[in-house]
Amino acid sequence: MNRILLILIICLSFSCKKDLDKKLSSKNWRIESITVTPAMTIGSKISTNYLDLSGPSSCEATTTLIFSADGIFTQSANGALCDLFQLPNSKPVTWTREGNQILISSAPQFPYTLSGNKLTQTKTSVASGGTVYTFEYVYSSK
């Protein structure tokens, strides 16, 4: 009886992993918000809402993430000049999942966290004056 229970638990754990991977790869993930702390100044605007600072047609405001079932990760945006810096023959970027953490091969130090229908990612950046900004990206599934 204990063997059957153990086999059932193992099977369920693998099916949950596949279900989460399918949930991630069956949808496109669109940017919902970017919060920056401390507040940032761009032009004459001061805000913690980075999407508002960037504008509705900016690369940041039009970002979409795609996690393909074969492990390829794509990030795209449809703002002016957004894909200018992508190299045509560069090595594909891949993704892997460890629990609720999604690791991207090109930036494993900034994992995404999957919770329900939301993906979050936190990045830091140091401005030329030495100010350290923390950006929290939130994506929702479409």
Side-chain angles (χ1 to χ4, degrees), residues 14-66:
F14 283 116
S15 69
C16 291
K17 179 186 182 327
K18 288 183 181 182
D19 287 347
L20 285 175
D21 287 354
K22 185 174 181 177
K23 176 182 181 177
L24 188 64
S25 64
S26 67
K27 302 177 183 208
N28 290 339
W29 298 84
R30 179 119 170 114
I31 191 72
E32 183 175 282
S33 67
I34 304 174
T35 305
V36 59
T37 51
M40 184 178 266
T41 303
I42 295 180
S44 61
K45 289 184 179 180
I46 300 173
S47 180
T48 58
N49 181 340
Y50 192 71
L51 290 179
D52 184 47
L53 291 171
S54 301
S57 60
S58 67
C59 298
E60 291 81 6
T62 60
T63 300
T64 300
L65 308 177
I66 300 169

Side-chain angles (χ1 to χ4, degrees), residues 2 4 13 16 32 39-40 42 45 66 81-82 110 119 138:
N2 287 339
I4 294 172
S13 68
C16 291
E32 183 175 282
M40 184 178 266
I42 295 180
K45 289 184 179 180
I66 300 169
L81 305 176
C82 293
F110 301 117
L119 271 175
V138 177

Side-chain angles (χ1 to χ4, degrees), residues 59-79:
C59 298
E60 291 81 6
T62 60
T63 300
T64 300
L65 308 177
I66 300 169
F67 300 87
S68 69
D70 63 356
I72 302 298
F73 171 77
T74 307
Q75 179 175 342
S76 65
N78 62 6

Side-chain angles (χ1 to χ4, degrees), residues 78-90:
N78 62 6
L81 305 176
C82 293
D83 296 329
L84 180 65
F85 298 105
Q86 291 184 353
L87 301 174
N89 294 322
S90 62

